[in-house]
Amino acid sequence: MTGRRPSLAVVGATGAIGGVMLQILSQHADVWGEVRLIASPRTAGAELVVRGEATEVLALSEDVFDGVDVALFLVPDEVSAQWAPVAAAGGAVVVDDSAAFRLDDDVPLVVPEINPHAVRRRPRGIVASPNCTTLSLIVAVGALHAEFGLRELIVSSYQAVSGEGHDGVAALREQLALVAGTELGTRPGDVRRALGDGDKSPFAAPVALNVVPWAGTDAGGGWSSEELAIREECRKVLGMPDLKVTATCVYVPVVATHSMSVHARFENEVDVAKAHEVLATAPGVVLFDSPAAGDFPTPADVVGTDPTWVGRVRQSMDDPHAVEMFVCGDNLRKGAALNVAQIAESVAWEFTRT
Amino acid sequence: MTGRRPSLAVVGATGAIGGVMLQILSQHADVWGEVRLIASPRTAGAELVVRGEATEVLALSEDVFDGVDVALFLVPDEVSAQWAPVAAAGGAVVVDDSAAFRLDDDVPLVVPEINPHAVRRRPRGIVASPNCTTLSLIVAVGALHAEFGLRELIVSSYQAVSGEGHDGVAALREQLALVAGTELGTRPGDVRRALGDGDKSPFAAPVALNVVPWAGTDAGGGWSSEELAIREECRKVLGMPDLKVTATCVYVPVVATHSMSVHARFENEVDVAKAHEVLATAPGVVLFDSPAAGDFPTPADVVGTDPTWVGRVRQSMDDPHAVEMFVCGDNLRKGAALNVAQIAESVAWEFTRT
Ligand SMILES: NC(=O)c1ccc[n+]([C@@H]2O[C@H](COP(=O)([O-])OP(=O)(O)OC[C@H]3O[C@@H](n4cnc5c(N)ncnc54)[C@H](OP(=O)(O)O)[C@@H]3O)[C@@H](O)[C@H]2O)c1
Ligand SMILES: NC(=O)c1ccc[n+]([C@@H]2O[C@H](COP(=O)([O-])OP(=O)(O)OC[C@H]3O[C@@H](n4cnc5c(N)ncnc54)[C@H](OP(=O)(O)O)[C@@H]3O)[C@@H](O)[C@H]2O)c1
């Protein structure tokens, strides 16, 4: 490297995504100078290990961004909304993982396998990373789009509880401890009664021995915010403002890795052999598709890995332009920390080359 | 009643569906004379309670059908394939819950809310009840079809493990006991390692902390047998041999009640208010659709109840002829025992009226 190593701030280092980010920073080729870890005053003072060194967590404040070149925001929407502009005003390039700026016209929404160049035009000094559900889907869909010309997506999700961060994981583990070893699950209301009203759970219904078809907040017309996010984010990342996208978002009792059942319709005819060829060679995609032999992606196989896994690829029996497939991606890695790290590393090159 | 009470045989009385059937026989208005309980030689001799009376389980044999008017078959496909014709030859009307005869042109496939009259034409003396996944869907879809004219279904399932009977439930409970109280679910392969190779499980992958996108056997072209069953059974029950139907079947760690994310396209335009009206008044359907208030169906709420529950009804943003919805039905009740009981009760009337 000829230039200097940029300094990095990780805001939200103590969270679910933050923890994975520290692992990634310790594993990837190290392009960073100083790495500063930041969280709320609640956890400031704690020590976390990154790149093999115990590092003190600092409380979020204006000063904490002094001398920071790149700031990763892995915090709730409202914290990003308030503090990302502060970091950007201080000269840092912000890579934000929250929903606060994703649909802002002056903030690029970047998936490096699909629209890497978008990162360069960032009038607000902020780059956004998509929602974990969009990310678990878009790398595979983007590869097929480049070949066949995407026209419509109809997707149903099987979302992991870590999509709701540490609180989501804690709720599932607590509820599982209460239902394991019991005969619950076959009598009216027995799971609800055993789990109480789940006050501390971020989910709108029990998530152990259950599925919960509601993610995010009320977005009008019967849609949840997560469902509309998938629609708008797919359109923005692919640069197709009129793409047809319908999503149904459902939480399942899985810790990490989101799955999606995908119906994708294209301008051109698609046959499975050609779709296989495209997916098998696409960067960031693993094709795992021999179901009779047990080869299809599941969260248990995909968790902790970087790529988007695709299986169950089959041609629609009703439409030669459509394929069905089942897609899995680790929501904490490609769905969040990994995509943010990839974006940040592409920004880091701007410093090392100056 | 003016005629005589028909005698009934329950073959498979010791199974998952059999257990629910005994409850239903004890709860519904009693139209039966003698009730004979039948299973394999493995469990013959055991006593089970039906209509308040301890009743001995008999071993399946030709003689066991002597004097039986109606025989319910709640057993694996190959047992039905061999023995249902034997019972029919002896003069019994067979109501079969297996896949053995569902697509036989000389066997009606009956859902009493939709095609009640089909039960009368049964040249082989056998009436079939659909697969539990078809049943969790078709009552709601059939009601909308009658109003709007169905053209296409694209469905993704969230199937309960009891779809694989007692073995499926045992596998989930065993696996849950091994993962509850652990930190499993976030590291590559950790769930698979903890659960071993799951020799005794009917599922092709771990089902605790996981989802399994494969149900049934290899049906060619990448499809599973369950996915093609939904397609062909929906067509047969609705009497629409060319209906477009695409299914993706996925097991989830839920004990009982199948859920489906449904994209339904109709000949006529559909608005949500009108769809609500149709669903709210359809027999066998409960509309539960106020998601911002927490009102959407989940397995935990639906299990143990008779109807098909429908929520998350929303108009497609891309097609005024399409709606999305989330549907739940107890696979052991409407998905199996209840539908068989409803068919059998409609046959019983033929005896009581002679
Ligand atoms: N989980 C996913 O799958 C996923 C995927 C994509 C994007 N995201 C987004 O990533 C962000 C983080 O998610 P997560 O799952 O990691 O959540 P999390 O586990 O709840 O962690 C939240 C983090 O934000 C910090 N934080 C909260 N309030 C703060 C404040 N006022 N000032 C400074 N720091 C504060 C927390 O610090 P303390 O420990 O001090 O409270 C913690 O480090 C969210 O915007 C989320 O929507 C999540
Ligand atoms: N589970 C569902 O959601 C569902 C829904 C719709 C349809 N079905 C169908 O319903 C049938 C029963 O399913 P299940 O879930 O109740 O299965 P299960 O729990 O495994 O029970 C199987 C039943 O069949 C009996 N059986 C097995 N082999 C036999 C033989 N050779 N002779 C006599 N009886 C024999 C068993 O008796 P022993 O106890 O003596 O072994 C037991 O009573 C299957 O065809 C299934 O596909 C199931």
Side-chain angles (χ1 to χ4, degrees):
Chain A
M1 283 189 274
T2 55
R4 66 189 181 78
R5 289 170 172 254
S7 59
L8 182 74
V10 181
V11 189
T14 54
I17 308 295
V20 177
M21 183 61 77
L22 300 190
Q23 285 173 26
I24 290 175
L25 290 173
S26 306
Q27 290 160 357
H28 280 201
D30 188 10
V31 298
W32 305 107
E34 186 195 353
V35 173
R36 223 169 272 178
L37 306 185
I38 301 164
S40 81
R42 288 182 292 277
T43 52
E47 288 207 330
L48 294 173
V49 175
V50 60
R51 300 187 300 182
E53 275 171 46
T55 307
E56 191 182 331
V57 176
L58 309 174
L60 181 56
S61 73
E62 215 175 312
D63 303 345
V64 90
F65 296 107
D66 281 355
V68 167
D69 295 310
V70 178
L72 314 182
F73 275 74
L74 315 172
V75 293
D77 299 348
E78 62 283 8
V79 182
S80 281
Q82 183 184 347
W83 287 93
V86 172
V93 177
V94 170
V95 185
D96 183 38
D97 199 30
S98 84
F101 302 99
R102 286 177 187 146
L103 300 181
D104 184 322
D105 285 340
D106 289 328
V107 173
L109 186 65
V110 178
V111 181
E113 290 85 348
I114 296 181
N115 62 344
H117 303 300
V119 81
R120 300 294 180 88
R121 193 192 152 271
R122 45 178 193 247
R124 298 190 62 177
I126 301 172
V127 179
S129 180
N131 190 298
C132 45
T133 45
T134 305
L135 277 166
S136 67
L137 176 72
I138 197 137
V139 180
V141 162
L144 294 171
H145 167 54
E147 183 71 27
F148 302 111
L150 187 64
R151 286 293 166 269
E152 183 168 18
L153 287 172
I154 298 173
V155 300
S156 297
S157 76
Y158 302 71
Q159 293 183 223
V161 295
S162 56
E164 286 288 335
H166 280 331
D167 291 351
V169 176
L172 175 60
R173 296 220 195 273
E174 231 163 74
Q175 294 180 15
L176 279 182
L178 291 169
V179 302
T182 70
E183 295 292 307
L184 292 167
T186 60
R187 292 203 167 66
D190 64 353
V191 168
R192 275 220 187 244
R193 274 193 302 278
L195 299 180
D197 56 3
D199 264 351
K200 287 180 303 182
S201 165
F203 305 106
V207 71
L209 297 183
N210 208 21
V211 301
V212 183
W214 187 250
T217 54
D218 184 9
W223 300 91
S224 71
S225 55
E226 190 107 337
E227 290 161 352
L228 295 196
I230 293 176
R231 179 177 173 91
E232 296 307 329
E233 294 178 20
C234 282
R235 290 171 157 195
K236 184 169 175 179
V237 172
L238 295 170
M240 304 177 80
D242 299 321
L243 183 68
K244 296 180 178 184
V245 184
T246 300
T248 299
C249 289
V250 181
Y251 280 111
V252 295
V254 164
V255 177
T257 294
H258 289 348
S259 307
M260 307 275 234
S261 167
V262 181
H263 172 89
R265 194 167 54 74
F266 297 91
E267 188 183 1
N268 303 326
E269 285 200 19
V270 198
D271 71 58
V272 168
K274 185 71 191 159
H276 270 179
E277 203 183 303
V278 169
L279 292 167
T281 53
V285 176
V286 169
L287 177 70
F288 191 51
D289 192 12
S290 184
D295 291 353
F296 44 76
T298 79
D301 299 306
V302 169
V303 68
T305 70
D306 286 349
T308 300
W309 293 52
V310 185
R312 303 294 330 277
V313 183
R314 52 227 198 272
Q315 182 152 37
S316 165
M317 288 179 286
D318 298 315
D319 179 355
H321 293 250
V323 290
E324 317 303 315
M325 58 193 174
F326 195 76
V327 176
C328 292
D330 186 332
N331 57 303
L332 303 177
R333 293 185 75 87
K334 184 61 190 178
L338 177 63
N339 200 64
V340 169
Q342 288 174 298
I343 296 170
E345 286 160 7
S346 76
V347 171
W349 279 106
E350 300 174 16
F351 291 86
T352 55
R353 284 187 299 199
T354 55
Chain B
M1 282 189 273
T2 57
R4 65 187 182 80
R5 288 168 174 257
S7 58
L8 182 74
V10 181
V11 189
T14 54
I17 307 296
V20 177
M21 184 61 77
L22 300 190
Q23 284 173 26
I24 289 174
L25 290 173
S26 307
Q27 291 160 355
H28 280 201
D30 188 10
V31 298
W32 305 107
E34 184 195 354
V35 173
R36 223 168 270 178
L37 306 186
I38 301 165
S40 81
R42 288 182 293 277
T43 51
E47 288 205 332
L48 294 174
V49 176
V50 61
R51 302 187 299 183
E53 275 171 46
T55 307
E56 191 183 330
V57 177
L58 309 173
L60 181 57
S61 73
E62 214 174 313
D63 302 345
V64 90
F65 296 107
D66 282 354
V68 166
D69 295 309
V70 178
L72 313 183
F73 275 73
L74 316 172
V75 295
D77 299 348
E78 63 282 8
V79 182
S80 281
Q82 183 184 347
W83 289 93
V86 172
V93 177
V94 170
V95 185
D96 184 38
D97 200 29
S98 83
F101 303 100
R102 285 177 188 147
L103 300 182
D104 184 323
D105 284 340
D106 289 329
V107 173
L109 185 65
V110 178
V111 180
E113 290 85 349
I114 295 181
N115 61 346
H117 303 298
V119 82
R120 299 295 179 86
R121 192 191 154 271
R122 45 177 194 248
R124 299 190 62 177
I126 302 172
V127 179
S129 180
N131 189 298
C132 46
T133 45
T134 305
L135 277 166
S136 66
L137 176 71
I138 196 135
V139 180
V141 162
L144 293 172
H145 167 55
E147 182 72 26
F148 303 110
L150 188 63
R151 285 293 165 268
E152 182 169 19
L153 286 172
I154 298 174
V155 300
S156 297
S157 76
Y158 302 72
Q159 293 184 222
V161 296
S162 56
E164 286 288 334
H166 279 332
D167 292 351
V169 177
L172 175 61
R173 295 217 194 275
E174 233 164 73
Q175 293 180 16
L176 279 183
L178 292 170
V179 302
T182 71
E183 295 292 308
L184 291 166
T186 60
R187 292 201 167 67
D190 64 353
V191 169
R192 276 222 186 242
R193 274 193 301 278
L195 299 180
D197 55 3
D199 265 353
K200 286 180 304 182
S201 166
F203 305 106
V207 72
L209 296 184
N210 208 20
V211 301
V212 184
W214 187 249
T217 54
D218 184 9
W223 299 91
S224 71
S225 55
E226 191 109 335
E227 289 161 353
L228 295 196
I230 293 176
R231 180 177 172 90
E232 296 308 329
E233 294 178 19
C234 282
R235 290 171 157 194
K236 184 168 176 179
V237 172
L238 295 171
M240 304 176 81
D242 299 320
L243 183 66
K244 296 180 178 183
V245 184
T246 299
T248 299
C249 288
V250 181
Y251 280 112
V252 295
V254 164
V255 177
T257 294
H258 290 346
S259 307
M260 307 275 234
S261 167
V262 181
H263 172 90
R265 194 167 53 76
F266 298 90
E267 188 182 3
N268 303 326
E269 285 198 20
V270 198
D271 70 60
V272 168
K274 184 74 190 159
H276 270 179
E277 202 183 303
V278 169
L279 292 167
T281 53
V285 176
V286 168
L287 178 69
F288 191 51
D289 193 11
S290 184
D295 290 354
F296 44 76
T298 79
D301 299 305
V302 169
V303 68
T305 70
D306 286 349
T308 301
W309 293 51
V310 185
R312 302 297 328 277
V313 182
R314 52 228 199 272
Q315 182 153 36
S316 165
M317 287 178 286
D318 299 314
D319 178 356
H321 293 250
V323 289
E324 317 303 315
M325 59 193 173
F326 195 77
V327 176
C328 292
D330 187 332
N331 57 302
L332 303 177
R333 292 187 76 89
K334 183 61 190 177
L338 177 64
N339 200 63
V340 169
Q342 288 173 299
I343 296 170
E345 286 160 7
S346 77
V347 171
W349 279 107
E350 300 174 16
F351 291 86
T352 55
R353 284 187 300 199
T354 54

